[in-house]
Amino acid sequence: MKPVIYGVVLLAALSATIASRHVPKAGLELRTFRKVSDAEFAVMREEAVRLVRGGLVLPARYAGERYFEVSCHGIPVMLVDNSLEQLVVVLYADREIDVPCVVPLLSHWSGRLVAERART
């Protein structure tokens, strides 16, 4: 009976080791900035629509909500939310997500958002 138990334990350990190496590791980057006005946020959304390469900017699901999502090749890669006390930008990243599609947008925003962050 002991060889069977040892065999099961060994198999479980090997399975866990193999799974941990092949399961994609998701990354999450959270950036916070000073809350922007509704007009500024509307400009940010327009810039996202114009600058996201090979992706789609999805509006808020309900009218009046102050966020939008960016997806690239059908995979969500970024959420921009201005509904609380701060502007929040969440980037999702792992091996399967094509984050370069938002690089032009982040480069365009970086000067403005960093300047805004320094003022707070």
Side-chain angles (χ1 to χ4, degrees), residues 5-8 34 42 53 61 67 75 77 88 91 99-100 102 108 114 120:
I5 294 173
Y6 290 135
V8 169
R34 175 191 65 82
R53 304 281 186 240
R61 292 189 180 114
Y67 73 89
I75 300 170
V77 295
V88 177
L91 294 167
V99 178
V102 295
H108 180 75
V114 170
T120 60

mmCIF file of all heavy atoms in Angstrom, residues 5-8 34 42 53 61 67 75 77 88 91 99-100 102 108 114 120:
data_model
loop_
_atom_site.group_PDB
_atom_site.id
_atom_site.type_symbol
_atom_site.label_atom_id
_atom_site.label_comp_id
_atom_site.label_asym_id
_atom_site.label_seq_id
_atom_site.Cartn_x
_atom_site.Cartn_y
_atom_site.Cartn_z
ATOM 1 N N ILE A 5 0.766 4.937 -2.285
ATOM 2 C CA ILE A 5 0.671 6.276 -1.692
ATOM 3 C C ILE A 5 1.846 7.136 -2.153
ATOM 4 O O ILE A 5 1.667 8.290 -2.547
ATOM 5 C CB ILE A 5 0.600 6.183 -0.150
ATOM 6 C CG1 ILE A 5 -0.706 5.514 0.265
ATOM 7 C CG2 ILE A 5 0.730 7.564 0.476
ATOM 8 C CD1 ILE A 5 -0.799 5.214 1.736
ATOM 9 N N TYR A 6 3.059 6.576 -2.111
ATOM 10 C CA TYR A 6 4.237 7.314 -2.561
ATOM 11 C C TYR A 6 4.108 7.686 -4.050
ATOM 12 O O TYR A 6 4.488 8.781 -4.462
ATOM 13 C CB TYR A 6 5.517 6.513 -2.329
ATOM 14 C CG TYR A 6 5.895 6.379 -0.875
ATOM 15 C CD1 TYR A 6 6.296 5.157 -0.359
ATOM 16 C CD2 TYR A 6 5.853 7.472 -0.017
ATOM 17 C CE1 TYR A 6 6.652 5.011 0.968
ATOM 18 C CE2 TYR A 6 6.203 7.341 1.321
ATOM 19 C CZ TYR A 6 6.604 6.114 1.815
ATOM 20 O OH TYR A 6 6.949 5.992 3.124
ATOM 21 N N GLY A 7 3.582 6.770 -4.818
ATOM 22 C CA GLY A 7 3.390 7.031 -6.253
ATOM 23 C C GLY A 7 2.407 8.169 -6.491
ATOM 24 O O GLY A 7 2.638 9.044 -7.336
ATOM 25 N N VAL A 8 1.308 8.189 -5.738
ATOM 26 C CA VAL A 8 0.305 9.254 -5.866
ATOM 27 C C VAL A 8 0.895 10.595 -5.455
ATOM 28 O O VAL A 8 0.708 11.620 -6.129
ATOM 29 C CB VAL A 8 -0.957 8.910 -5.036
ATOM 30 C CG1 VAL A 8 -1.891 10.104 -4.941
ATOM 31 C CG2 VAL A 8 -1.672 7.710 -5.640
ATOM 32 N N ARG A 34 -4.150 62.386 -10.478
ATOM 33 C CA ARG A 34 -5.171 63.332 -10.040
ATOM 34 C C ARG A 34 -6.412 63.151 -10.909
ATOM 35 O O ARG A 34 -6.308 62.960 -12.119
ATOM 36 C CB ARG A 34 -4.622 64.762 -10.190
ATOM 37 C CG ARG A 34 -5.629 65.838 -9.890
ATOM 38 C CD ARG A 34 -5.123 67.207 -10.321
ATOM 39 N NE ARG A 34 -4.943 67.327 -11.765
ATOM 40 C CZ ARG A 34 -5.907 67.600 -12.635
ATOM 41 N NH1 ARG A 34 -7.152 67.758 -12.232
ATOM 42 N NH2 ARG A 34 -5.640 67.709 -13.919
ATOM 43 N N ALA A 42 -13.064 63.161 -21.489
ATOM 44 C CA ALA A 42 -13.590 62.953 -22.842
ATOM 45 C C ALA A 42 -12.475 63.090 -23.879
ATOM 46 O O ALA A 42 -12.411 62.312 -24.839
ATOM 47 C CB ALA A 42 -14.712 63.953 -23.129
ATOM 48 N N ARG A 53 -3.425 51.210 -31.512
ATOM 49 C CA ARG A 53 -3.117 50.531 -32.772
ATOM 50 C C ARG A 53 -3.591 49.079 -32.728
ATOM 51 O O ARG A 53 -3.198 48.325 -31.853
ATOM 52 C CB ARG A 53 -1.606 50.534 -33.029
ATOM 53 C CG ARG A 53 -0.991 51.893 -33.026
ATOM 54 C CD ARG A 53 -1.249 52.592 -34.358
ATOM 55 N NE ARG A 53 -0.524 53.843 -34.397
ATOM 56 C CZ ARG A 53 -1.101 55.016 -34.547
ATOM 57 N NH1 ARG A 53 -2.398 55.115 -34.664
ATOM 58 N NH2 ARG A 53 -0.386 56.121 -34.594
ATOM 59 N N ARG A 61 -20.333 50.799 -19.957
ATOM 60 C CA ARG A 61 -21.547 50.035 -20.262
ATOM 61 C C ARG A 61 -22.821 50.825 -20.006
ATOM 62 O O ARG A 61 -23.847 50.567 -20.595
ATOM 63 C CB ARG A 61 -21.558 48.749 -19.441
ATOM 64 C CG ARG A 61 -20.478 47.804 -19.896
ATOM 65 C CD ARG A 61 -20.614 46.442 -19.251
ATOM 66 N NE ARG A 61 -19.548 45.587 -19.738
ATOM 67 C CZ ARG A 61 -18.579 45.113 -18.996
ATOM 68 N NH1 ARG A 61 -18.537 45.384 -17.714
ATOM 69 N NH2 ARG A 61 -17.650 44.351 -19.516
ATOM 70 N N TYR A 67 -15.535 55.708 -17.293
ATOM 71 C CA TYR A 67 -14.435 54.790 -17.550
ATOM 72 C C TYR A 67 -14.529 54.298 -18.983
ATOM 73 O O TYR A 67 -15.561 54.445 -19.632
ATOM 74 C CB TYR A 67 -14.440 53.602 -16.579
ATOM 75 C CG TYR A 67 -15.533 52.596 -16.837
ATOM 76 C CD1 TYR A 67 -15.327 51.526 -17.701
ATOM 77 C CD2 TYR A 67 -16.779 52.703 -16.227
ATOM 78 C CE1 TYR A 67 -16.323 50.599 -17.953
ATOM 79 C CE2 TYR A 67 -17.777 51.782 -16.472
ATOM 80 C CZ TYR A 67 -17.550 50.739 -17.333
ATOM 81 O OH TYR A 67 -18.528 49.827 -17.584
ATOM 82 N N ILE A 75 -8.623 40.977 -26.640
ATOM 83 C CA ILE A 75 -8.211 40.708 -25.263
ATOM 84 C C ILE A 75 -8.112 42.032 -24.510
ATOM 85 O O ILE A 75 -7.435 42.949 -24.971
ATOM 86 C CB ILE A 75 -6.842 39.991 -25.234
ATOM 87 C CG1 ILE A 75 -6.932 38.669 -25.988
ATOM 88 C CG2 ILE A 75 -6.376 39.766 -23.805
ATOM 89 C CD1 ILE A 75 -5.594 38.005 -26.217
ATOM 90 N N VAL A 77 -6.761 44.891 -22.354
ATOM 91 C CA VAL A 77 -5.391 45.220 -21.949
ATOM 92 C C VAL A 77 -5.312 46.429 -21.022
ATOM 93 O O VAL A 77 -4.316 46.606 -20.334
ATOM 94 C CB VAL A 77 -4.470 45.466 -23.165
ATOM 95 C CG1 VAL A 77 -4.296 44.202 -23.978
ATOM 96 C CG2 VAL A 77 -4.961 46.605 -24.021
ATOM 97 N N VAL A 88 -7.570 56.367 -12.472
ATOM 98 C CA VAL A 88 -6.890 55.087 -12.315
ATOM 99 C C VAL A 88 -6.696 54.467 -13.697
ATOM 100 O O VAL A 88 -7.639 54.369 -14.482
ATOM 101 C CB VAL A 88 -7.718 54.128 -11.423
ATOM 102 C CG1 VAL A 88 -7.041 52.775 -11.323
ATOM 103 C CG2 VAL A 88 -7.936 54.734 -10.047
ATOM 104 N N LEU A 91 -3.263 48.396 -16.276
ATOM 105 C CA LEU A 91 -2.739 47.667 -17.435
ATOM 106 C C LEU A 91 -2.655 46.193 -17.079
ATOM 107 O O LEU A 91 -2.132 45.839 -16.025
ATOM 108 C CB LEU A 91 -1.344 48.175 -17.806
ATOM 109 C CG LEU A 91 -1.283 49.598 -18.320
ATOM 110 C CD1 LEU A 91 0.161 50.084 -18.348
ATOM 111 C CD2 LEU A 91 -1.884 49.678 -19.700
ATOM 112 N N VAL A 99 0.372 44.083 -25.500
ATOM 113 C CA VAL A 99 0.373 45.403 -24.884
ATOM 114 C C VAL A 99 0.938 46.484 -25.806
ATOM 115 O O VAL A 99 0.556 47.640 -25.692
ATOM 116 C CB VAL A 99 1.114 45.366 -23.525
ATOM 117 C CG1 VAL A 99 1.179 46.735 -22.896
ATOM 118 C CG2 VAL A 99 0.402 44.400 -22.585
ATOM 119 N N PRO A 100 1.817 46.171 -26.756
ATOM 120 C CA PRO A 100 2.336 47.228 -27.622
ATOM 121 C C PRO A 100 1.259 48.043 -28.342
ATOM 122 O O PRO A 100 1.527 49.160 -28.766
ATOM 123 C CB PRO A 100 3.223 46.487 -28.616
ATOM 124 C CG PRO A 100 3.706 45.301 -27.847
ATOM 125 C CD PRO A 100 2.524 44.906 -26.992
ATOM 126 N N VAL A 102 -1.060 49.652 -27.084
ATOM 127 C CA VAL A 102 -1.370 50.855 -26.303
ATOM 128 C C VAL A 102 -0.145 51.726 -26.053
ATOM 129 O O VAL A 102 -0.263 52.785 -25.445
ATOM 130 C CB VAL A 102 -2.058 50.516 -24.958
ATOM 131 C CG1 VAL A 102 -3.413 49.882 -25.187
ATOM 132 C CG2 VAL A 102 -1.189 49.664 -24.084
ATOM 133 N N HIS A 108 1.842 59.204 -25.424
ATOM 134 C CA HIS A 108 1.180 60.498 -25.592
ATOM 135 C C HIS A 108 0.712 61.055 -24.243
ATOM 136 O O HIS A 108 0.837 62.246 -23.984
ATOM 137 C CB HIS A 108 -0.005 60.349 -26.551
ATOM 138 C CG HIS A 108 -0.753 61.611 -26.788
ATOM 139 N ND1 HIS A 108 -0.262 62.619 -27.590
ATOM 140 C CD2 HIS A 108 -1.945 62.047 -26.324
ATOM 141 C CE1 HIS A 108 -1.131 63.615 -27.615
ATOM 142 N NE2 HIS A 108 -2.161 63.286 -26.858
ATOM 143 N N VAL A 114 2.220 62.572 -15.942
ATOM 144 C CA VAL A 114 3.318 62.710 -15.006
ATOM 145 C C VAL A 114 3.339 64.115 -14.436
ATOM 146 O O VAL A 114 3.544 64.313 -13.244
ATOM 147 C CB VAL A 114 4.674 62.337 -15.660
ATOM 148 C CG1 VAL A 114 5.839 62.715 -14.777
ATOM 149 C CG2 VAL A 114 4.695 60.855 -15.963
ATOM 150 N N THR A 120 0.168 66.986 -7.539
ATOM 151 C CA THR A 120 -0.629 66.549 -6.393
ATOM 152 C C THR A 120 0.212 66.202 -5.205
ATOM 153 O O THR A 120 1.383 66.102 -5.225
ATOM 154 C CB THR A 120 -1.502 65.323 -6.768
ATOM 155 O OG1 THR A 120 -0.649 64.261 -7.176
ATOM 156 C CG2 THR A 120 -2.486 65.694 -7.833
#
